[in-house]
Amino acid sequence: MLGNGLSINVWEPFGYHRLLDRARHGHLTADDLALFASTTNFERILADISTAIRVCDVVGVDTAPLYARYASIQLALGHAIRQVHPLLSEVPGAVRAAIRDEITKYEWVFTTSYDLLLYWAMGHGGRYMPFKDHFRFGGRCEFDPARADVYEGEIPVYYLHGALHLIVGGSGATWKLKMTSLHTLLDQFGRPIAGDPQVRPLLVTEGSAREKLQAIESNAYLSHALEVLTELDLPLVVFGSSLSAQDQHLVDAISQSPTRPVAISMLKGRKTELLAKQSDIYQRLGVDDVFFFDASTHPLGSADLVVDNVDGE
């Protein structure tokens, strides 16, 4: 299970500011920000507006202001992501190849990061097999729970908190964006889609575990991904995630198989601080065998994966 630690190791700006902090400076209007008074989650706000649009359509209330607000917040989110995310051309092929080679050693892959680094690594060299993300090929690459079986030789990959290339339509269906001849995936992110003005990015960005779980349970793809993690009883390596209180829903899912060993990466630090973090995880994680290891000793924590950020942003 991969966390944002992998992303930060490759591209340091991923560790700087939260999306809302980026978006509030110059992109979100005062009316937009008023909707964020009780949450920092873009997905929730867009979903709430989408619900309001459907209700207003039924009762005959003008929906134009709601569509305008929806488009404004989508655009602000897109700007925030583009400010921190590297282009595909900025991530060397050797880095993508190294990530791909490492994750092929695992039977199942889960990630809580929503950037495109893992997706780009999976497709490096123009071949996605043996990886399987459960989004159909051809036409609109939509998630179909009836076609989510995993077969021998396949390595399933699950985006536990959504991802930049995953979107939700007004009907609630989830599908993934494909690179078009006109736009990169990053350019498409946050743009309106013809025929479905209520399309929104699938990102779980809440601050609390309870809110995250609510967002996950409201989406068929995300709830399926969490259910798979809950039901698996295989040994687990957790890299780049501190399994903090904000991710208690993941801790609970892992704890459903108490006999499986779990190895968790840790960044170097003062011994007292490390012991405190380890003690906290051990007490909350309901498994018999927990092991901690230095993140820099794992191939995904290697300094060879670090990409220089020449702009310093």
Side-chain angles (χ1 to χ4, degrees), residues 259-277:
T259 59
R260 69 171 168 192
V262 178
I264 304 171
S265 71
M266 302 289 290
L267 294 174
K268 293 180 179 179
R270 298 178 59 181
K271 186 175 181 179
T272 54
E273 295 175 350
L274 287 175
L275 288 175
K277 292 178 181 178

Side-chain angles (χ1 to χ4, degrees), residues 5-6 9 239 294-306:
L6 167 61
N9 183 45
F239 180 85
D294 182 348
S296 66
T297 64
H298 192 283
L300 295 179
S302 170
D304 294 336
L305 298 185
V306 177

Side-chain angles (χ1 to χ4, degrees), residues 237-309:
V237 174
V238 179
F239 180 85
S241 173
S242 62
L243 294 179
S244 65
Q246 288 73 30
D247 286 328
Q248 185 62 39
H249 58 295
L250 302 180
V251 172
D252 293 340
I254 296 169
S255 300
Q256 292 301 307
S257 298
T259 59
R260 69 171 168 192
V262 178
I264 304 171
S265 71
M266 302 289 290
L267 294 174
K268 293 180 179 179
R270 298 178 59 181
K271 186 175 181 179
T272 54
E273 295 175 350
L274 287 175
L275 288 175
K277 292 178 181 178
Q278 292 171 3
S279 176
D280 175 66
I281 293 174
Y282 187 80
Q283 291 178 27
R284 291 188 296 108
L285 193 61
V287 299
D288 298 333
D289 296 313
V290 182
F291 305 91
F292 297 98
F293 65 94
D294 182 348
S296 66
T297 64
H298 192 283
L300 295 179
S302 170
D304 294 336
L305 298 185
V306 177
V307 176
D308 290 333
N309 178 31

